[in-house]
Amino acid sequence: MRTDNQSNLHLFLLLSIHGIDVYLRAKGIWFGYPLPVHPDEPKLVNTALNMLSTGDLNPHFFNYPTLNIYLLALIYKLITLGSQALFGLSAIDIPVIWFYIAGRLFNVLLAILTILITYELGRHLISSSAGLISAWFITFSFLHVSNSFTITVDASVAFWLSLATLMAALIYTKEKKFSYYLLGGVFVGFAVSSKYTAFVGVAPILVAH
């Protein structure tokens, strides 16, 4: 049985880790500002913007799966509508860098959520302390940090695969509920729709079963 002091310490450590991971990732959204300098970002951003400007929902670009492109297009549509309503700006008047910053913020959100999911994975499989240690390691992971604030598919695929793996953990530690299998399959599907090689994400579900 955990004492109140232990619970308070655990909560303090979890919030501290969360604060650090938010700081490390959010500060990176200004990378290269005011110019987009990451070579992969324009491929996704320009494809999404082209879909909005032409109304053609076919991205005509399949080097990456299309989920991230459609999500970016949705975000950019909301930015366009908001800019028109609040500032009277037409789509062509919006600085392009706004779209890059918005896409980076979205990836930062996915990365932060991935760390929280990692904590839940450790908690369900081993203990709350294991969850904290797992979250701590991924918080300072160089690749995870660097991929969190650029508009690439890596933060997205990590998010969906971590959710799929969490469903596998729930299947293993709790009950073999149909909802866990269903959600696990959906999350693997979203992961594959982010990066083709993510099909391997079905393995934890099969192992848990």
Side-chain angles (χ1 to χ4, degrees):
M1 181 71 67
R2 182 184 297 176
T3 66
D4 290 341
N5 287 338
Q6 289 174 325
S7 297
N8 291 336
L9 176 60
H10 184 87
L11 179 60
F12 171 76
L13 292 174
L14 181 60
L15 292 177
S16 298
I17 292 171
H18 184 55
I20 294 171
D21 72 56
V22 170
Y23 170 74
L24 289 177
R25 286 150 181 81
K27 72 172 186 175
I29 64 170
W30 306 108
F31 169 65
Y33 184 85
L35 299 174
V37 295
H38 193 287
D40 291 335
E41 288 186 310
K43 299 174 184 178
L44 295 171
V45 173
N46 292 338
T47 302
L49 290 175
N50 186 62
M51 289 171 63
L52 288 183
S53 62
T54 63
D56 182 4
L57 296 181
N58 184 345
H60 301 284
F61 176 78
F62 300 101
N63 289 21
Y64 297 122
T66 55
L67 177 61
N68 292 285
I69 295 172
Y70 285 118
L71 289 175
L72 285 175
L74 175 60
I75 293 170
Y76 295 163
K77 182 64 176 180
L78 294 175
I79 290 174
T80 301
L81 293 174
S83 299
Q84 290 173 341
L86 297 175
F87 308 112
L89 294 176
S90 64
I92 60 174
D93 295 325
I94 300 174
V96 174
I97 194 64
W98 286 18
F99 297 111
Y100 279 86
I101 297 300
R104 289 177 175 182
L105 277 172
F106 178 67
N107 266 16
V108 165
L109 175 61
L110 294 182
I112 292 169
L113 292 175
T114 301
I115 295 172
L116 295 177
I117 296 166
T118 301
Y119 165 77
E120 287 297 315
L121 268 169
R123 186 174 71 86
H124 281 288
L125 289 174
I126 304 175
S127 67
S128 296
S129 296
L132 283 176
I133 294 171
S134 301
W136 179 263
F137 275 115
I138 194 172
T139 291
F140 292 99
S141 168
F142 172 77
L143 281 178
H144 195 265
V145 172
S146 61
N147 286 325
S148 296
F149 54 76
T150 53
I151 309 173
T152 60
V153 300
D154 300 287
S156 178
V157 73
F159 170 72
W160 295 118
L161 285 180
S162 65
L163 278 176
T165 306
L166 179 59
M167 293 302 103
L170 293 176
I171 291 170
Y172 179 71
T173 59
K174 292 185 177 297
E175 300 176 13
K176 290 182 170 60
K177 291 184 178 179
F178 174 74
S179 58
Y180 295 153
Y181 288 97
L182 178 62
L183 288 173
V186 169
F187 295 144
V188 172
F190 284 154
V192 175
S193 297
S194 300
K195 194 169 187 177
Y196 293 120
T197 53
F199 66 89
V200 296
V202 74
I205 298 174
L206 295 176
V207 171
H209 178 74

